[in-house]
Amino acid sequence: MPLVARLGSGIPLVARDRELDRLRAALAKAGEGTAGAVLLAGDAGVGKTRLIDELAAGADDTLVLMGRCLDAGETGLPYLPFAEALGTVKSDVSHRPALAMLLPQLTLPAAREPGTEGMIAPSLIPGRRPEQDVGQLQLFDAVLGLLGDLSEQQRVLLVVEDLHWADASTRYLLSFLLSRLRSQRLLVVGTYRADDLHRSHPLRPLLSELVRLPAVDRLDLAPFNAADARRFVEALSDDLPQDVLRQVAERSEGNAFFAEELIAVATCDDARSLPSALADVLLSRVESLSPEAQHVVRVASVRGRRVRHYRLHEVSGMSDLAFDTALRELVQHHLLVVHDDEVYAFRHALVREAVYGDLLPGERVRLHAAYARHLAQHLEERGAAAALAHHAFESHDLPTALNASIMASKEAERAGAPAESLRYLEKALNLWNAVAEADRPSDVDESVLLRRASWVAGTAGQPERAVAFARSATKAISAEQTPEEAAEIWLRLSQALSILDGNEEEHFLVLAKALQLVRDREPSPTRARVFAGKASSLRQQRKDDEAREAAELAIANGETANAPGAIADGLGTLAILDDHANRPEEAKASFERAIQHAREVGAFNNELRAWYYYGMMHYDRGELAEAARVYNLAGARAKETGLTWSMFGLEIRILQVLVHYYIGDWDYAAWASEPPGMSVSSTVLARLASASTHLTVSRGDLAESERMITKLRSDWHRDIQIALINGGTGAELALWRGRPELAVERVTDALEWARKLGGPWMLAGIRIGAIGIAAHAEIAAKARRKRDAEAERNAVAAGHELAEHVRLTAQNGKPRAGVLGPEGRAWLARANAEESRLEGPGDPELWRRAIDEFGYGVVFEQALCRWRLAEALLGAERRDEAAGQLRQADEVATRLKAVPLAEAVASCAKRARISLRADEPVRDHVDLFTPRERDVLGLVASGRTNREVGEELYISEKTVSVHLSRIMAKLGASRRAEAVAIAYDRGLLE
């Protein structure tokens, strides 16, 4: 047997100290409770795996979990690297049943019919929401939870290699995990080939998103320089001549793997005639083997990077002795390496690529066919159907490829991998017309495949394609299909259309077609689902009586035909209708019944939806404490079911932020508003960030609030709720920063957006308008200080006009419960009170009414109104009453850490010489300036020059300049004219 070369893994690591130190520093930081991730990029063969191995080998008291992505066609398992990494975990995973979708040793969940209770269709949620797969969400949450549990026991290093080959589901899971790295003792390292990322590579957009996350770092592994390449080659070879070593170092171009293979050729063959290309080097190594070993390595290359012993043996067709001898030769020459579970793997993917690329066309087809025959006998294995689809297609067996693709799609869907399910369905649809009708599967037709493709496209985040597939499905409906089968297709199209804006009319027409097909049919699951969808649609159109009738039919049909998802859907609609009809006791009973039923049948999305609207009922009625209780229970249930980050889980989280903000539990609101990782494509995450601006603005984090509100402006098109929230918080921010003109701009922008999308009387306009009136009042006050009568008249007129719009909105708007609720009445009262400030200090009685209206539990707004009432009382020379209001406002602002309000209250008390606390002395002098500075500023404001000021005050011109410098420093001005203007704006000059 020829000589065997040494591997780089057998020598100390060369020239990678800097990169290794960075990785070790990140791992040490993770051990201290700051989770992180490193994306390690480098060309193929540059040494990424060796660097990771060195990191893992030196990681004491660390649980190392490693997984590798494989090239398309090599495996049928979605999430393969995570399955491989977590498959070694010995801890009990029984309390996380969703992991069965990931770990091959566990049983997959039962198959689900698309569009039923196993998946989320956004029929009852306000606005447009993406469809989601419950199984995938539960799986993601289970993986995150498992890693968190493991990191509590010891530091965890999770390595995912070869991300350039990652399937879509693996990419989604990686993004989910990295965006949620917080305080876990966890470091995630992902490696990928930088030279493989062409312009349209699917990993590129993910990398662009991930590197913006604060916990993610990128590390580029460059090839060796000339000196380091020479050191590496010298360490690798003990006895080759110096001229050969120099030639190897030069030809390797700093690539460690290329250098190893060149050394192997030089050691085993003629050291004076080294091949120049890497593929030639690798093939020359293969050609030096025995014919039997060459046959085995070629058979192995057709399966992929890894292959099981029994599979390779059977497909090779060799006797036991000859097969074992050939395998031993391949292992000794470092072409294959032995892994656990009787798996052989190519030492490097480049070896496999070179061997496979060298196969003759006929040889390649025959070997793929042999694998297909083998896999057809082992379809009970996880991933076998997908592998069979690949090998059958490559061997031109199209009927087998079609059937296997359909099976693979179903398996991927059960595994919570909708993107992979869609890929196999698309392959099946592409093959459908190429396969003779007699060879097609008998249990499905093209319209069924298109309907399933529509559903998985929607859950894979491709709503436009979901609509396109569903429309194609309606065109493929045949006369042989039953009305129920045709109705399912039309129902699917209506669901897909409901996701995208501008399709309301078509959505109603399509749903009517589905209903027409089953209206006079016997009860069936399809009929129940159609009635449930119709009930939701009618409710959205405010046709409550018709919606109630349809919901009751959905429940009755569901009970008869055993369609638990439709029953839960109908119960949820009935509960919402009871709430709309102002029947709180009946609504409460209906919501609790809907929640209980959904829990019993495992319809988790329907359960969370019922929780959401149950809390909304209390919220709309001003029962904030009860709403907080319901949403806390709902949030706990979302966590328990692994759906914290589902559509309804996030809706519940947003309401937790708002309700706890209103009741004054700001620490809880801050916890709930912590984003689970921003995603540029996520409407709901943008809404969560939008809700959090209530807190950041009111607590005085003005710079961060400005950054976030400015960024969220580009997200207004996603959901009108973002515009409605940030239109108000953005204006409040501008007011706290002393920029009322900007506040007016933001209010005008938000009201115009609301008018364009929701009509002229959206109830959120009451709150936004009230803040806008406050801005006009500030502009009018500023104009009065400047004695600008025209500007004052304009501001007053604009404020009155906006106040009238607010009153008309309250009169013409359509509240969910039919009458304006406590929130709307409170903001209307504040709008009226703000209007009274347009021409003076304000009407105390109107401000008292606003305080009373906010008394249903909104503590911050009530405290703000007390501050404004105090100003109005001071204007009416009722100082003692004002003192009481200021002290109450100060107590709330201090408790909430509401810095801007606290400062405003303190400033008002300071000007009025009111003590806010019993132990605080009353100061007789509260002026910002010294008496001399005030004299100087007053004369400068009257137009005097420095020389004239000095002559009048009997001081030198230089002394005047010193005083002016101090005045400008105190005001933050750069010029004397700017200082005078700021002083007028702040009321420091009369």
Side-chain angles (χ1 to χ4, degrees):
M1 182 176 290
L3 295 173
V4 178
R6 294 174 60 185
L7 291 178
S9 56
I11 63 173
L13 192 66
V14 174
R16 298 301 188 197
D17 292 343
R18 183 183 64 85
E19 292 87 351
L20 186 59
D21 287 345
R22 282 184 61 182
L23 289 171
R24 284 174 173 166
L27 186 59
K29 192 175 178 182
E32 296 168 358
T34 303
V38 178
L39 299 173
L40 181 60
D43 294 344
V46 80
K48 299 182 294 294
T49 299
R50 173 64 200 281
L51 184 62
I52 295 300
D53 290 343
E54 196 75 16
L55 173 67
D60 298 328
D61 191 28
T62 301
L63 174 62
V64 180
L65 306 173
M66 305 188 77
R68 185 188 299 274
C69 305
L70 296 180
D71 198 359
E74 294 186 44
T75 175
L77 285 176
Y79 309 113
L80 178 69
F82 290 99
E84 183 179 327
L86 298 179
T88 61
V89 173
K90 305 302 181 184
S91 64
D92 182 20
V93 296
S94 60
H95 64 295
R96 300 187 188 278
L99 290 175
M101 290 180 274
L102 182 72
L103 303 177
Q105 64 267 33
L106 302 179
T107 303
L108 275 174
R112 300 170 292 179
E113 177 64 16
T116 62
E117 61 274 4
M119 305 174 186
I120 294 178
S123 58
L124 291 181
I125 203 72
R128 304 294 172 191
R129 302 291 184 270
E131 297 170 295
Q132 293 180 311
D133 185 277
V134 170
Q136 185 175 59
L137 292 164
Q138 290 176 317
L139 172 60
F140 286 13
D141 192 81
V143 172
L144 178 64
L146 177 60
L147 290 172
D149 290 348
L150 294 172
S151 71
E152 290 179 3
Q153 301 167 22
Q154 65 180 132
R155 185 173 61 181
V156 177
L157 171 62
L158 172 64
V159 178
V160 182
E161 292 200 73
D162 296 331
L163 286 172
H164 50 280
W165 285 325
D167 57 85
S169 296
T170 294
R171 296 195 299 271
Y172 295 155
L173 178 51
L174 182 71
S175 176
F176 180 92
L177 292 177
L178 266 55
S179 64
R180 286 154 181 82
L181 294 176
R182 295 293 185 272
S183 59
Q184 307 96 326
R185 297 171 62 208
L186 169 67
L187 176 67
V188 181
V189 179
T191 72
Y192 63 93
R193 288 187 193 173
D195 52 334
D196 269 17
L197 300 190
H198 51 77
R199 183 182 296 271
S200 59
H201 196 287
L203 186 63
R204 288 178 69 95
L206 175 62
L207 292 175
S208 299
E209 179 181 338
L210 294 180
V211 294
R212 292 197 295 266
L213 297 174
V216 178
D217 190 17
R218 173 173 170 159
L219 179 59
D220 291 312
L221 196 63
F224 293 137
N225 59 32
D228 291 334
R230 182 63 182 264
R231 285 174 52 206
F232 178 76
V233 170
E234 289 175 346
L236 203 61
S237 175
D238 296 326
D239 52 4
L240 288 176
Q242 288 298 311
D243 61 328
V244 173
L245 294 180
R246 183 176 63 256
Q247 188 180 3
V248 168
E250 290 173 355
R251 289 193 182 180
S252 70
E253 297 179 346
N255 186 289
F257 176 70
F258 195 1
E260 288 179 0
E261 293 301 315
L262 286 168
I263 288 289
V265 171
T267 301
C268 304
D269 298 318
D270 182 4
R272 305 294 174 179
S273 57
L274 293 176
S276 58
L278 177 59
D280 294 336
V281 172
L282 297 174
L283 292 175
S284 69
R285 293 248 283 130
V286 171
E287 290 165 359
S288 68
L289 302 172
S290 66
E292 294 79 9
Q294 290 186 46
H295 174 66
V296 171
V297 79
R298 287 169 180 152
V299 172
S301 74
V302 174
R303 182 64 186 102
R305 176 80 184 272
R306 298 186 300 182
V307 60
R308 290 192 176 278
H309 177 95
Y310 78 91
R311 184 163 288 144
L312 182 59
H313 187 189
E314 182 172 327
V315 175
S316 70
M318 298 172 65
S319 67
D320 292 350
L321 180 60
F323 180 69
D324 289 343
T325 301
L327 270 179
R328 185 176 300 280
E329 185 178 353
L330 291 169
V331 171
Q332 286 179 337
H333 280 77
H334 308 306
L335 292 171
L336 297 183
V337 294
V338 183
H339 286 189
D340 295 336
D341 301 326
E342 298 184 345
V343 171
Y344 294 96
F346 283 91
R347 185 172 73 83
H348 199 284
L350 292 173
V351 179
R352 183 257 166 188
E353 292 168 16
V355 175
Y356 184 77
D358 192 53
L359 293 174
L360 296 172
E363 184 181 17
R364 189 177 299 174
V365 169
R366 285 193 301 274
L367 290 175
H368 277 297
Y371 273 111
R373 289 191 297 273
H374 168 81
L375 288 164
Q377 306 302 314
H378 298 84
L379 287 176
E380 73 285 353
E381 296 180 13
R382 183 91 67 96
L388 174 58
H390 168 70
H391 289 293
F393 183 81
E394 293 295 330
S395 61
H396 312 315
D397 183 356
L398 300 189
T400 300
L402 171 62
N403 283 273
S405 296
I406 296 171
M407 287 188 289
S409 172
K410 293 179 180 178
E411 184 176 293
E413 190 275 315
R414 291 169 63 197
E420 274 54 60
S421 179
L422 178 60
R423 180 161 66 90
Y424 295 124
L425 277 171
E426 288 180 311
K427 182 178 290 187
L429 288 166
N430 289 335
L431 291 169
W432 187 264
N433 290 324
V435 173
E437 186 174 350
D439 294 328
R440 296 172 186 165
S442 59
D443 56 339
V444 295
D445 59 25
E446 188 176 17
S447 67
V448 172
L449 291 181
L450 286 165
R451 179 170 67 88
R452 294 188 68 93
S454 172
W455 180 261
V456 294
T459 56
Q462 302 180 46
E464 292 83 3
R465 298 189 69 203
V467 170
F469 279 124
R471 285 197 174 119
S472 297
T474 63
K475 296 173 183 176
I477 295 174
S478 63
E480 290 77 23
Q481 290 178 300
T482 66
E484 284 77 12
E485 291 170 339
E488 287 284 2
I489 294 170
W490 288 109
L491 178 61
R492 174 56 208 153
L493 177 56
S494 76
Q495 292 171 338
L497 288 167
S498 71
I499 307 305
L500 299 174
D501 284 321
N503 295 303
E504 290 81 3
E505 185 174 346
E506 184 182 2
H507 163 72
F508 297 141
L509 291 173
V510 165
L511 193 56
K513 289 184 180 180
L515 184 62
Q516 184 178 0
L517 287 165
V518 296
R519 186 190 299 276
D520 300 323
R521 302 283 291 181
E522 292 298 314
S524 66
T526 297
R527 193 167 186 261
R529 284 194 284 270
V530 171
F531 274 120
K534 185 64 176 176
S536 175
S537 175
L538 290 167
R539 183 192 62 77
Q540 292 170 2
Q541 298 174 70
R542 300 290 182 112
K543 299 178 180 179
D544 287 5
D545 292 339
E546 296 174 60
R548 182 177 294 276
E549 181 183 356
E552 289 171 347
L553 285 170
I555 295 169
N557 276 261
E559 289 172 344
T560 302
N562 190 27
I567 297 172
D569 203 342
L571 287 171
T573 299
L574 282 181
I576 295 169
L577 292 171
D578 286 338
D579 179 25
H580 285 188
N582 198 24
R583 301 199 295 238
E585 293 304 317
E586 291 90 334
K588 180 180 178 182
S590 295
F591 278 123
E592 291 178 352
R593 181 186 173 200
I595 290 168
Q596 184 62 31
H597 176 82
R599 181 176 297 196
E600 288 173 355
V601 302
F604 300 129
N605 55 307
N606 287 333
E607 180 188 349
L608 292 183
R609 183 184 59 204
W611 276 114
Y612 170 78
Y613 280 102
Y614 190 13
M616 281 297 296
M617 179 184 74
H618 292 295
Y619 177 88
D620 286 344
R621 295 178 182 277
E623 300 163 352
L624 296 184
E626 186 63 15
R629 184 190 70 83
V630 169
Y631 282 127
N632 289 349
L633 290 172
R637 182 61 178 155
K639 181 178 181 182
E640 181 183 340
T641 56
L643 296 176
T644 299
W645 310 117
S646 70
M647 177 172 58
F648 282 103
L650 278 167
E651 291 288 346
I652 288 166
R653 179 63 70 92
I654 289 167
L655 265 297
Q656 284 181 294
V657 175
L658 295 177
V659 171
H660 284 275
Y661 169 78
Y662 293 148
I663 65 176
D665 188 357
W666 284 12
D667 289 339
Y668 190 100
W671 168 81
S673 67
E674 181 182 351
M678 294 300 295
S679 173
V680 295
S681 62
S682 175
T683 297
V684 181
L685 287 180
R687 286 186 59 217
L688 182 61
S690 178
S692 73
T693 60
H694 279 293
L695 194 64
T696 57
V697 170
S698 297
R699 275 195 160 166
D701 192 355
L702 303 186
E704 174 61 19
S705 298
E706 191 70 58
R707 184 195 67 78
M708 185 173 293
I709 287 170
T710 301
K711 177 178 181 294
L712 286 169
R713 180 58 184 85
S714 62
D715 288 315
W716 281 20
H717 69 282
R718 297 180 182 280
D719 193 298
I720 193 171
Q721 295 296 326
I722 301 172
L724 298 180
I725 290 176
N726 281 152
T729 57
E732 289 174 326
L733 171 62
L735 285 173
W736 288 127
R737 303 191 88 174
R739 302 176 64 188
E741 295 82 5
L742 176 60
V744 169
E745 288 179 18
R746 286 175 169 170
V747 164
T748 303
D749 189 18
L751 290 177
E752 177 59 26
W753 193 274
R755 186 198 61 75
K756 183 171 60 176
L757 296 184
W761 311 122
M762 288 199 71
L763 291 175
I766 300 175
R767 167 180 163 266
I768 298 171
I771 299 168
I773 299 167
H776 285 299
E778 292 298 318
I779 295 171
K782 182 191 295 187
R784 278 194 294 274
R785 290 194 295 269
K786 291 182 176 180
R787 298 179 176 83
D788 188 340
E790 183 179 358
E792 180 184 359
R793 282 195 303 273
N794 291 338
V796 170
H800 285 308
E801 182 181 349
L802 185 53
E804 185 60 25
H805 172 76
V806 168
R807 285 187 284 270
L808 288 172
T809 300
Q811 197 174 356
N812 298 322
K814 295 182 179 180
R816 279 169 24 94
V819 296
L820 195 62
E823 184 179 18
R825 293 195 302 269
W827 280 101
L828 177 61
R830 179 173 166 189
N832 290 330
E834 293 286 4
E835 185 182 18
S836 73
R837 293 178 57 234
L838 289 169
E839 299 175 78
D843 184 338
E845 294 313 309
L846 290 176
W847 281 111
R848 286 191 190 278
R849 177 175 293 182
I851 291 170
D852 292 341
E853 292 290 356
F854 279 115
Y856 75 93
V858 187
V859 296
F860 175 77
E861 295 300 337
Q862 192 178 46
L864 187 145
C865 290
R866 290 189 187 280
W867 162 51
R868 290 302 191 190
L869 171 59
E871 290 186 327
L873 289 169
L874 289 170
E877 298 184 358
R878 295 156 65 179
R879 185 174 181 278
D880 291 342
E881 293 177 67
Q885 296 298 327
L886 285 173
R887 287 167 186 152
Q888 291 184 67
D890 179 69
E891 186 277 326
V892 172
T894 302
R895 175 169 59 83
L896 296 180
K897 300 174 185 173
V899 176
L901 178 58
E903 290 179 348
V905 170
S907 176
C908 182
K910 191 175 183 181
R911 292 194 304 273
R913 301 184 182 181
I914 292 174
S915 173
L916 292 175
R917 300 172 185 85
D919 59 349
E920 181 180 82
V922 177
R923 290 180 289 177
D924 292 331
H925 187 75
V926 294
D927 206 334
L928 178 64
F929 307 115
T930 66
R932 180 60 81 189
E933 288 170 347
R934 175 161 289 285
D935 292 339
V936 170
L937 182 60
L939 291 171
V940 170
S942 66
R944 309 288 178 86
T945 65
N946 284 10
R947 182 179 60 79
E948 291 170 336
V949 171
E951 289 175 352
E952 186 162 334
L953 296 179
Y954 301 99
I955 57 177
S956 70
E957 187 175 345
K958 183 175 181 182
T959 302
V960 173
S961 178
V962 171
H963 284 308
L964 269 177
S965 296
R966 290 172 179 167
I967 290 168
M968 289 189 291
K970 289 179 179 181
L971 295 175
S974 58
R975 296 176 291 107
R976 53 189 280 154
E978 184 182 4
V980 171
I982 293 173
Y984 272 124
D985 286 348
R986 295 187 181 179
L988 301 175
L989 283 174
E990 296 298 330

